C-alpha cells in the first residue's frame, strides 16, 4: 500500500539540493557531484523501499524521518571520507554499510515509538560504530594504513557544523536561533554534560521542563564529542554553582507527620493485606509499616518513609 503524501522521488531530490548548498567550498567539482549523487541515490532507494513495504504501515512523516536520516549521514560521512583522503573505490562500500545501518535502526526506533531525541542519539551511535568497523575492515585487508584509518575516524563533519553553527547563531541546518548570552550558553553546555549521562527517560523529563530553544541547545551540546575537554573545568564548576543557587530549596520532610499519615492509611486495612503488599520489601521497611499498624514508630529515613507512605496510599485506596 502506497504512503499517502510521501513523494520519495521529490523528497530525495530536495535533500540532495539542500546538501549541494552546504558542501565545503574547497571541495572539487567531482567531489561535490559525488556527494550530491550519494545523497540522492541513497535517499531514493530508502524512500522507495519504505514506500513499497506493505508490512511497515509508516505514514508520510515516519517515512520522511528515515529517509532524511539516511541523507544526512550519507552527506556527513562522505565529507569525512573525502577530507581524510580515503580512495574513491572504498567510499561506496563504507557509505552503503552506514546507509543500511541507519535504515534498520531508524525503522526499528519508529516501530518501538522511541522519542525523536533518543532516536537521533541511537542512530548516531550505530553510525559511528558502523563507520569505524568499515574502516577497520579496510585496514585489516591492507587497503588503507593505520594512519589513514585513524585520520578518517577522527573526522566528524557533523561536529564541525555544530561548532560553526554555534559561533554563527544558527542551528546545524543554518536556520537562525534565538541569541543567547555567553553565560547562558556556558550553563546550557554544563547542563548538557550532566544530561548526556542520564537514562533516556530522565533526559526527556529534564528537557521537557525547559524552553524548546534551550532544550535544543542542550541536545546539540550533548551530542558533541569531547564536550568536557572544550570547556575549562573552573568555568564548569562555577556554572554548576550558579545553577545550584537558582534551584529551589529541598523541602524538609517531617518524620512524625509522615508516620502519622502512614498510621492513618494502614489502620483501615488488615495485617494480612499489609503483609502481602510488603512481602518483597526490606526488613527495615516491613518493621516500619508493621509498627505503624500498632502505632509504634520504628523510625526510617524520612524520605524513604515518605515514599513508603505514598506507595501504600496508592495500593490501599
Amino acid at each position: 500500500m502506497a504512503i499517502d503524501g510521501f513523494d520519495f522521488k521529490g523528497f530525495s531530490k530536495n535533500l540532495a539540493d539542500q546538501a549541494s548548498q552546504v558542501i565545503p567550498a574547497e571541495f572539487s567539482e567531482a567531489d561535490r557531484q559525488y556527494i550530491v549523487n550519494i545523497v540522492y541515490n541513497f535517499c531514493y532507494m530508502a524512500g522507495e523501499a519504505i514506500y513499497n513495504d506493505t508490512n511497515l504501515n509508516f505514514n508520510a512523516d515516519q517515512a520522511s524521518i528515515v529517509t532524511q536520516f539516511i541523507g544526512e549521514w550519507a552527506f556527513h560521512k562522505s565529507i569525512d571520507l573525502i577530507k581524510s583522503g580515503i580512495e574513491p573505490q572504498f567510499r561506496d562500500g563504507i557509505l552503503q554499510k552506514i546507509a543500511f545501518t541507519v535504515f534498520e535502526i531508524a525503522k526499528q526506533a519508529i516501530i518501538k515509538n522511541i522519542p525523536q531525541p533518543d532516536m537521533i542519539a541511537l542512530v548516531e551511535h550505530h553510525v559511528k560504530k558502523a563507520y569505524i568497523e568499515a574502516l577497520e575492515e579496510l585496514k585489516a585487508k591492507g587497503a588503507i594504513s593505520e594512519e589513514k584509518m585513524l585520520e578518517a575516524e577522527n573526522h566528524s563533519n557533523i561536529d564541525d557544523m555544530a561548532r560553526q553553527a554555534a559561533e554563527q547563531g544558527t542551528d546545524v541546518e543554518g536556520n537562525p536561533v534565538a541569541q543567547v548570552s555567553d553565560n547562558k550558553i556556558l550553563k546550557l553546555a554544563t547542563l548538557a554534560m550532566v544530561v548526556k549521562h542520564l537514562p533516556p527517560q530522565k533526559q526527556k523529563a529534564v528537557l521537557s521542563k525547559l524552553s524548546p530553544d534551550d532544550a535544543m541547545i542542550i541536545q546539540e551540546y550533548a551530542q558533541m564529542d569531547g564536550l568536557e575537554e572544550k570547556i575549562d573545568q573552573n568555568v564548569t564548576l562555577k556554572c554548576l554553582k550558579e545553577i545550584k543557587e537558582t534551584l529551589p530549596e529541598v523541602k524538609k520532610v517531617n518524620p512524625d507527620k509522615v508516620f502519622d499519615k502512614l498510621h492513618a492509611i494502614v489502620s483501615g486495612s488488615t495485617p494480612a493485606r499489609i503483609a502481602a503488599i510488603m512481602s518483597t520489601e526490606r526488613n527495615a521497611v516491613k518493621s516500619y509499616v508493621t509498627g505503624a499498624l500498632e502505632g509504634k514508630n520504628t523510625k526510617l529515613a524520612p524520605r524513604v518513609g515518605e515514599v513508603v507512605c505514598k506507595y501504600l496510599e496508592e495500593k490501599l485506596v
Side-chain angles (χ1 to χ4, degrees), residues 9-162:
K9 298 177 184 178
F11 189 56
S12 300
K13 185 177 186 308
N14 182 45
L15 291 174
D17 289 343
Q18 289 182 41
S20 71
Q21 302 302 311
V22 286
I23 296 171
E26 70 271 17
F27 276 29
S28 69
E29 185 56 36
D31 287 338
R32 296 176 68 85
Q33 195 56 53
Y34 174 80
I35 294 169
V36 171
N37 289 341
I38 278 289
V39 171
Y40 177 77
N41 290 335
F42 282 4
C43 288
Y44 186 101
M45 288 187 290
E48 184 179 35
I50 296 170
Y51 188 84
N52 293 323
D53 192 330
T54 56
N55 296 318
L56 279 179
N57 293 319
F58 278 4
N59 59 35
D61 286 341
Q62 292 169 325
S64 297
I65 287 171
V66 177
T67 308
Q68 186 165 346
F69 270 139
I70 288 174
E72 288 177 352
W73 281 110
F75 171 77
H76 289 303
K77 286 304 170 190
S78 61
I79 287 179
D80 291 342
L81 291 170
I82 292 170
K83 280 187 174 181
S84 57
I86 297 296
E87 296 295 327
Q89 64 265 32
F90 302 131
R91 295 174 194 162
D92 282 4
I94 296 172
L95 293 171
Q96 284 168 6
K97 183 170 185 176
I98 288 170
F100 178 77
T101 298
V102 175
F103 187 69
E104 292 302 319
I105 296 299
K107 278 198 310 180
Q108 289 305 313
I110 289 174
I111 291 169
K112 294 177 181 178
N113 293 316
I114 293 176
Q116 192 157 338
D118 300 337
M119 191 191 311
I120 292 170
L122 185 66
V123 169
E124 181 173 7
H125 168 77
H126 284 280
V127 165
K128 289 180 178 178
K129 183 180 177 184
Y131 181 64
I132 289 172
E133 286 176 353
L135 290 169
E136 288 177 344
E137 285 175 12
L138 287 176
K139 189 257 180 184
K141 293 175 183 176
I144 60 173
S145 65
E146 183 171 1
E147 182 183 4
K148 186 65 69 178
M149 179 190 75
L150 294 174
E151 184 182 354
E153 288 179 0
N154 288 326
H155 273 294
S156 178
N157 186 65
I158 192 169
D159 289 341
D160 292 343
M161 288 186 70

Side-chain angles (χ1 to χ4, degrees), residues 59 72 89 114 159 210 214 219 221 223 241 252 305:
N59 59 35
E72 288 177 352
Q89 64 265 32
I114 293 176
D159 289 341
L210 304 172
D214 288 353
Q219 285 175 289
Y221 273 114
Q223 293 171 30
K241 183 179 178 182
K252 290 185 179 180

Side-chain angles (χ1 to χ4, degrees), residues 65-309:
I65 287 171
V66 177
T67 308
Q68 186 165 346
F69 270 139
I70 288 174
E72 288 177 352
W73 281 110
F75 171 77
H76 289 303
K77 286 304 170 190
S78 61
I79 287 179
D80 291 342
L81 291 170
I82 292 170
K83 280 187 174 181
S84 57
I86 297 296
E87 296 295 327
Q89 64 265 32
F90 302 131
R91 295 174 194 162
D92 282 4
I94 296 172
L95 293 171
Q96 284 168 6
K97 183 170 185 176
I98 288 170
F100 178 77
T101 298
V102 175
F103 187 69
E104 292 302 319
I105 296 299
K107 278 198 310 180
Q108 289 305 313
I110 289 174
I111 291 169
K112 294 177 181 178
N113 293 316
I114 293 176
Q116 192 157 338
D118 300 337
M119 191 191 311
I120 292 170
L122 185 66
V123 169
E124 181 173 7
H125 168 77
H126 284 280
V127 165
K128 289 180 178 178
K129 183 180 177 184
Y131 181 64
I132 289 172
E133 286 176 353
L135 290 169
E136 288 177 344
E137 285 175 12
L138 287 176
K139 189 257 180 184
K141 293 175 183 176
I144 60 173
S145 65
E146 183 171 1
E147 182 183 4
K148 186 65 69 178
M149 179 190 75
L150 294 174
E151 184 182 354
E153 288 179 0
N154 288 326
H155 273 294
S156 178
N157 186 65
I158 192 169
D159 289 341
D160 292 343
M161 288 186 70
R163 281 192 292 271
Q164 185 180 3
E167 291 169 2
Q168 296 176 349
T170 62
D171 62 20
V172 291
E173 295 178 354
N175 302 312
V177 297
Q179 294 299 308
V180 185
S181 70
D182 289 345
N183 188 46
K184 185 174 181 181
I185 281 289
L186 287 171
K187 287 181 180 177
L188 292 174
T190 301
L191 274 176
M193 293 182 204
V194 177
V195 168
K196 69 190 290 186
H197 295 294
L198 296 176
Q201 286 300 104
K202 287 192 176 180
Q203 287 184 20
K204 185 179 177 183
V206 171
L207 294 175
S208 69
K209 304 293 183 183
L210 304 172
S211 71
D213 285 341
D214 288 353
M216 182 187 70
I217 292 171
I218 288 174
Q219 285 175 289
E220 289 184 356
Y221 273 114
Q223 293 171 30
M224 188 180 290
D225 288 335
L227 175 62
E228 290 80 0
E229 288 76 35
K230 291 179 173 66
I231 302 177
D232 184 271
Q233 186 178 15
N234 292 326
V235 173
T236 301
L237 292 173
K238 181 174 179 289
C239 288
L240 285 172
K241 183 179 178 182
E242 290 177 2
I243 292 169
K244 183 179 178 182
E245 288 172 354
T246 64
L247 295 174
E249 286 192 21
V250 178
K251 178 184 170 185
K252 290 185 179 180
V253 178
N254 185 317
D256 293 330
K257 286 186 177 180
V258 171
F259 178 78
D260 290 343
K261 183 178 180 180
L262 178 63
H263 177 62
I265 291 169
V266 298
S267 13
S269 188
T270 63
R273 188 179 179 195
I274 298 296
I277 295 173
M278 292 284 104
S279 61
T280 59
E281 294 294 337
R282 292 168 293 165
N283 289 333
V285 174
K286 289 179 182 177
S287 298
Y288 181 65
V289 175
T290 302
L293 271 169
E294 302 168 358
K296 298 176 183 177
N297 191 345
T298 59
K299 303 295 182 183
L300 194 65
R303 294 205 173 276
V304 177
E306 190 175 41
V307 171
V308 172
C309 185

